Amino acid sequence: MADKKVVRVGSRKSELALIQTKYVISCLQKLNPDVQYEIYTMTTVGDRVLNKSLPKIGEKSLFTKDLEDALTTGGVDFVVHSLKDLPTALPLGMAIGAVLEREDPRDALVLNEKHRGKTLATLPKGSIIGTSSLRRSAQLARNYPHLIVCDIRGNLNTRLAKLDAENSKFAGIILAQAGLVRMGWNKRIDQVLEPTEILYAVGQGALAVECRSNDDYILGMLFKLCHLETQCKIIVERSFLKTLGGGCSAPVAVCTNLKRKHDSKSLQLYIEGAVWSLDGKSEIKSTLDCELQFNEKGPTDETDDAVPIKKTRTVEDNNSDNNGNNQTETTKLNPPLSEKKIDLAKFVSVHEEMFQKCPFSKAQNKTKDIKEQGQGDAKPSSVCPSTSFPVGIDFMGNCPYVSTEQKIDASVQVPMKCPIAVHCEPSTSMPHMSADQCPFLKEQAKILDYNENMPQGTETPTLEDNSEHLHCGMYCHGKLERTILDKCEKLGQSLAQELISKGALEVMKCAQNEIHSKA
């Protein structure tokens, strides 16, 4: 087998972080089947210090610094972040190489079993709501004064465990809806909080891939993951926050929408931004918008094979207000991933070891069938249906037949019947297979602890200060329309300046002083 190109990826150790990292890798694998990826996990300051609220820790880059240090020394080639964790000012030589299509950015309420069926408005007076976010705390205090807000720390699993504990003091907790969806916990969502109730965090719901700003090879790979509409929204949000100088140290929130204008090919970008005092009594809020003219071809030219990762949705004109608050659809600026042709032969040459472990058919028959298909134009094998899977899906822990939610239900309830089993050879058939036997639920990616398996022999890369070419840390790939990104950045700056003229900095300073006095 030919030498494989190995790309090292940095990730936090939490389950959600690994799900997100694997998702990015599976998307890249579809586009680069001849590349092998290794995941190096590490804990960050935000993961290690759990006895203090985030603002009281007193450090920036709480969830990103350790990962960025590994990037700086060349230990990893890129890292995957929840974009809301990424400061607007990146370290020297770093850049956001890709922002993937955004999940729903709204917050969600998850309730203790005894309060199921309630909402924030109908919970009993004195009910305790857990959140570690000043943004959420201030808006809860302002809009739901009958509730008590209490700090809660830890990853999603930890916070849900605290909520569900037998003697839990929490009636509910507020989390980002996107994280719950990615974990397959949709059924735990009791109420989706509209921006009219609680504005969301800058970058919430989006994944960012950070790399060295002069690593042309990695940047070339990441460009294919870029989702232009999401980038526009993220740049305006990060520009707004950067101009304000806010972060975890003050309650700042946004809501952005991109809406097609009537009888026009242009789009209107709206951003609502707000700042509060810690008790929510002081609020400074405003909305601005601008028109964006997109190239009809979208973010790629006609010769490029870049594709988005999730299915895109088309913006439809509706009766939403001027801010587009009811606008739930997004603009189709990228072609669907399914249009990408797959080189199965190349994929097998890299991942043949995976096929040797397949319990459903003999490896030699499976690999032979796939190799005979060449570019995937022939009909899938009658022996193994996995020859028709999208590249990447069968080794990143995603079953092509059973949804994430079904898998989780099956893992805790009853054994599930494997739909592949009917296609298997008699000698290896598993007509009834429990979830813990399913290879799609087992780790297929190579995951290593960074401190215990630090890559050896890597040269410390030379870093370049390319900050003047970045948009709030985001790399502008040559084929993207820089004028659009410039316009988005200026819109965020303008909104921040409008809030500043209304006294936003004074409100933020008071909030920061109050935090420091309690530290």
Side-chain angles (χ1 to χ4, degrees):
M1 186 182 300
D3 290 340
K4 307 171 186 176
K5 170 66 178 177
V6 178
V7 171
R8 296 184 296 271
V9 186
S11 172
R12 291 167 63 190
K13 288 187 174 182
S14 73
E15 183 179 358
L16 177 59
L18 283 170
I19 285 174
Q20 294 175 162
T21 299
K22 290 178 180 181
Y23 174 65
V24 170
I25 290 175
S26 69
C27 295
L28 287 172
Q29 191 68 62
K30 293 179 175 74
L31 299 164
N32 305 277
D34 55 337
V35 176
Q36 185 174 23
Y37 299 87
E38 295 177 349
I39 300 175
Y40 287 85
T41 63
M42 57 196 85
T43 58
T44 64
V45 175
D47 297 314
R48 294 189 292 267
V49 182
L50 297 175
N51 60 345
K52 294 182 180 180
S53 63
L54 297 176
K56 292 181 181 180
I57 297 177
E59 294 185 34
K60 295 181 179 180
S61 308
L62 294 176
F63 296 104
T64 62
K65 186 178 184 303
D66 298 84
L67 295 161
E68 289 170 334
D69 287 346
L71 262 180
T72 300
T73 60
V76 298
D77 298 304
F78 67 78
V79 296
V80 179
H81 303 285
S82 293
L83 202 147
K84 68 184 179 67
D85 294 333
L86 202 55
T88 54
L90 302 184
L92 175 72
M94 300 295 115
I96 299 172
V99 175
L100 283 70
E101 184 176 0
R102 190 180 208 170
E103 289 280 359
D104 191 327
R106 294 175 296 176
D107 282 325
L109 173 67
V110 180
L111 292 171
N112 183 284
E113 182 63 32
K114 62 185 177 183
H115 292 290
R116 297 301 295 269
K118 300 287 187 181
T119 65
L120 286 176
T122 60
L123 280 170
K125 183 177 181 180
S127 296
I128 297 177
I129 301 297
T131 177
S132 59
S133 163
L134 294 179
R135 168 187 63 83
R136 292 170 180 147
S137 298
Q139 293 182 83
L140 284 170
R142 183 177 183 85
N143 299 327
Y144 302 97
H146 67 291
L147 302 176
I148 298 173
V149 180
C150 183
D151 191 67
I152 186 170
R153 289 291 316 281
N155 58 38
L156 280 181
N157 308 63
T158 300
R159 281 179 277 177
L160 284 171
K162 291 179 179 180
L163 171 68
D164 296 336
E166 185 175 351
N167 297 315
S168 175
K169 65 180 179 181
F170 296 105
I173 58 178
I174 296 180
L175 303 165
Q177 182 182 199
L180 291 165
V181 170
R182 288 174 184 142
M183 294 284 279
W185 293 338
N186 310 55
K187 291 182 179 180
R188 290 303 309 265
I189 297 174
D190 291 277
Q191 180 186 4
V192 176
L193 303 175
E194 298 298 333
T196 52
E197 301 171 273
I198 295 185
L199 294 176
Y200 46 80
V202 167
Q204 185 161 302
L207 296 182
V209 187
E210 186 180 12
C211 64
R212 292 178 289 274
S213 63
N214 60 346
D215 191 333
D216 293 336
Y217 176 77
I218 296 297
L219 286 169
M221 291 175 56
L222 298 181
F223 165 65
K224 299 176 182 180
L225 304 186
C226 291
H227 187 259
L228 182 53
E229 177 200 343
T230 301
Q231 285 184 300
C232 292
K233 292 181 178 181
I234 294 304
I235 287 177
V236 69
E237 292 176 16
R238 286 172 64 82
S239 175
F240 167 72
L241 184 63
K242 183 177 181 179
T243 306
L244 279 179
C248 288
S249 58
V252 179
V254 296
C255 175
T256 53
N257 284 283
L258 194 58
K259 183 180 177 184
R260 187 172 300 283
K261 300 182 68 176
H262 288 287
D263 303 320
S264 173
K265 294 181 180 179
S266 64
L267 300 173
Q268 203 74 12
L269 176 63
Y270 299 89
I271 177 171
E272 180 180 18
V275 173
W276 297 268
S277 59
L278 292 186
D279 60 9
K281 293 181 179 179
S282 297
E283 177 186 71
I284 299 178
K285 181 187 293 186
S286 190
T287 302
L288 287 180
D289 64 277
C290 71
E291 182 179 306
L292 302 179
Q293 291 281 352
F294 286 93
N295 185 317
E296 291 184 8
K297 296 176 185 177
T300 65
D301 64 27
E302 57 191 5
T303 62
D304 199 287
D305 62 354
V307 292
I309 303 313
K310 301 190 308 175
K311 64 179 182 180
T312 52
R313 301 170 295 278
T314 304
V315 165
E316 300 289 345
D317 293 323
N318 58 24
N319 297 321
S320 61
D321 62 20
N322 291 334
N323 295 335
N325 288 331
N326 295 328
Q327 183 65 52
T328 58
E329 300 295 278
T330 58
T331 305
K332 186 175 181 180
L333 300 176
N334 305 71
L337 180 61
S338 58
E339 294 177 4
K340 173 66 179 175
K341 289 187 176 180
I342 297 168
D343 186 343
L344 286 171
K346 182 181 287 187
F347 175 64
V348 172
S349 71
V350 175
H351 298 283
E352 191 160 359
E353 182 180 352
M354 176 192 69
F355 293 102
Q356 299 290 338
K357 299 177 181 178
C358 178
F360 302 124
S361 63
K362 293 180 180 179
Q364 62 268 27
N365 290 340
K366 183 169 185 154
T367 54
K368 179 176 180 292
D369 289 332
I370 295 177
K371 288 178 179 178
E372 288 177 351
Q373 290 183 58
Q375 297 295 322
D377 296 327
K379 292 183 178 180
S381 166
S382 59
V383 176
C384 179
S386 69
T387 56
S388 62
F389 295 172
V391 168
I393 201 168
D394 51 350
F395 68 97
M396 291 308 300
N398 297 308
C399 179
Y401 294 108
V402 186
S403 71
T404 302
E405 201 165 308
Q406 288 174 313
K407 285 193 296 183
I408 290 176
D409 288 344
S411 66
V412 297
Q413 295 177 8
V414 295
M416 62 182 178
K417 183 177 180 181
C418 175
I420 299 180
V422 297
H423 298 283
C424 297
E425 295 181 44
S427 60
T428 56
S429 179
M430 295 181 182
H432 292 282
M433 182 178 66
S434 63
D436 60 354
Q437 293 174 304
C438 177
F440 299 112
L441 294 177
K442 296 179 181 178
E443 298 290 359
Q444 297 293 337
K446 189 174 184 180
I447 301 178
L448 304 167
D449 183 281
Y450 184 75
N451 292 324
E452 296 177 2
N453 301 275
M454 194 172 298
Q456 301 297 319
T458 58
E459 295 184 7
T460 301
T462 301
L463 302 178
E464 297 178 8
D465 184 2
N466 297 319
S467 55
E468 70 274 14
H469 302 302
L470 305 178
H471 291 77
C472 297
M474 191 179 301
Y475 186 84
C476 182
H477 295 275
K479 297 176 183 177
L480 294 181
E481 301 180 62
R482 183 177 293 274
T483 55
I484 289 179
L485 303 188
D486 287 337
K487 203 166 186 178
C488 295
E489 191 167 20
K490 290 177 182 177
L491 179 62
Q493 293 169 352
S494 298
L495 180 62
Q497 291 296 341
E498 183 168 319
L499 265 61
I500 289 172
S501 69
K502 296 179 179 180
L505 295 184
E506 289 76 10
V507 171
M508 292 171 64
K509 185 176 180 180
C510 289
Q512 292 164 354
N513 289 339
E514 188 175 343
I515 292 168
H516 295 153
S517 68
K518 296 178 180 179

